[in-house]
């Protein structure tokens, strides 16, 4: 269970792209806690210095400020690296609908640069963040790898193209790539601010400040909200996975299903507030329901997530209570 018992060769060196972001900073911290070296590459476009400031003095930690759109930066970052955990990308479906050209450049070209740099540097494993958005409008629940529908946003397209490159790079060049289709990750250090913030941190912050959050749609949309530590486990287990899993993409979630309105009410109870939400229009590009079949990751990666939604949300609320200003 979990990732505390994963073992790599002693001087293993990891590169985490997007390491100043929510997921990346948690990966950097976990790798250092396990006793391995990590380079954090980030251009600080959506990530924050404060997410990684506390790592600065740790042995084996290096921060490289740079942009994955620049191939030479990717080459420099990959030198001497064993495992790449590629998280750098711009998230948010609605923002991608407004800025398709930037998403193409940043998420697709940036990922291709990273795969090519990893290949040229002889990286052992290349693990990269994909997304549940690749399922598009396919109606089946739970979502199963191999049953994808029509895409609903430029963001989803960038992730699907990255998966195609991931598969091609394995078949053509033998680079061992592993795509992780994250389902609504939440937990410590997820950004609560800005127009494109994820719902859980945003709701927690607004409720703690006595403000009324807006729920897009009727609140009856459901998601497989996934605690950050499950995502860390998946990334590290990919680095130990066999060749039969290379070139593939995997659902990474808990395998549960939570309705947004229920989460809202749970948060109000946990934070001891009574605030009515505002109901707004549905968001363009959103799917109504999403939850994951995680049997492929269980089988090929030995993924066995420790945290269900209830356990995860308790930890997340405690963290925000302590750390939010
Ligand atoms: P985040 O915005 O907190 O982190 C992304 C990081 O990448 C940021 O620190 C940003 O500064 C960096 N970055 C972006 N473009 C870059 C570039 N060109 N060069 C260097 N650094 C760059 O987002 P996150 O939630 O931590 O997401 C990490 C990854 O997981 C992303 O690829 C995202 O698409 C994917 N993902 C996240 C979720 C989720 O629920 N959080 C769900 C599905 C997929």
């Amino acid at each position: 269970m979990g990732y505390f018992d994963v073992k790599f060769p002693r001087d293993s060196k990891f590169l985490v792209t997007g390491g100043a972001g929510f997921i990346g900073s948690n990966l950097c911290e976990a790798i250092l806690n396990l006793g391995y070296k990590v380079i954090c590459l980030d251009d600080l476009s959506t990530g924050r210095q404060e997410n990684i400031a506390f790592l600065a003095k740790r042995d084996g930690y290096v921060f490289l400020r740079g942009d994955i759109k620049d191939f030479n930066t990717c080459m420099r970052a990959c030198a001497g690296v064993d495992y790449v955990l590629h998280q750098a990308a711009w998230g948010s479906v609605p923002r991608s609908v407004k800025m398709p050209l930037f998403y193409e450049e940043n998420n697709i070209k940036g990922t291709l640069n990273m795969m090519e740099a990893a290949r040229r540097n002889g990286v052992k494993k290349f693990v990269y963040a994909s997304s549940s958005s690749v399922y598009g409008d396919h109606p089946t629940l739970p979502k199963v790898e191999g049953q994808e529908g029509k895409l609903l946003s430029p963001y989803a397209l960038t992730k699907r193209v990255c998966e195609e490159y991931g598969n091609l790079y394995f078949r053509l060049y033998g680079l061992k790539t592993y795509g992780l289709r994250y389902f609504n990750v939440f937990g410590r250090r997820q950004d609560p601010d800005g127009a494109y913030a994820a719902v859980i941190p945003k709701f927690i912050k607004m409720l703690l400040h006595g403000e009324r959050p807006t729920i897009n749609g009727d609140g009856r949309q459901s998601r497989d909200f996934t605690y950050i530590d499950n995502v860390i486990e998946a990334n590290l287990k990919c680095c130990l996975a066999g060749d039969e899993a290379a070139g593939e993409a995997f659902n990474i979630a808990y395998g549960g299903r939570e309705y947004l309105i229920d989460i809202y009410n749970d948060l109000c109870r946990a934070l001891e507030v009574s605030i009515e939400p505002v109901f707004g229009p549905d968001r363009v590009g959103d799917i109504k329901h999403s939850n994951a079949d995680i049997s492929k990751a269980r089988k090929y990666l030995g993924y066995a997530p420790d945290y269900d939604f209830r356990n995860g949300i308790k930890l997340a609320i405690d963290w925000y209570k302590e750390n939010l200003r």
Side-chain angles (χ1 to χ4, degrees), residues 159-189:
K159 293 298 185 185
R160 183 173 287 174
V161 174
C162 291
E163 288 190 359
E164 292 294 334
Y165 270 123
N167 181 269
L168 190 65
Y169 261 64
F170 176 57
R171 287 186 290 114
L172 212 52
Y173 307 115
L175 178 69
K176 290 172 189 165
T177 64
Y178 304 83
L180 300 183
R181 295 180 174 175
Y182 302 152
F183 281 66
N184 295 78
V185 189
F186 70 96
R188 58 192 175 271
R189 293 201 285 280

Side-chain angles (χ1 to χ4, degrees), residues 18 20-24 41-47 66-69 87-91 106 129-131 155 159 182 184-185 190:
F22 159 47
I23 296 173
L41 171 65
D42 205 296
D43 67 353
L44 298 179
S45 53
T46 60
D67 186 342
I68 58 165
K69 293 195 284 307
Q87 313 299 311
W90 271 29
N106 201 57
S130 182
S131 157
Y155 172 71
K159 293 298 185 185
Y182 302 152
N184 295 78
V185 189
Q190 189 171 29

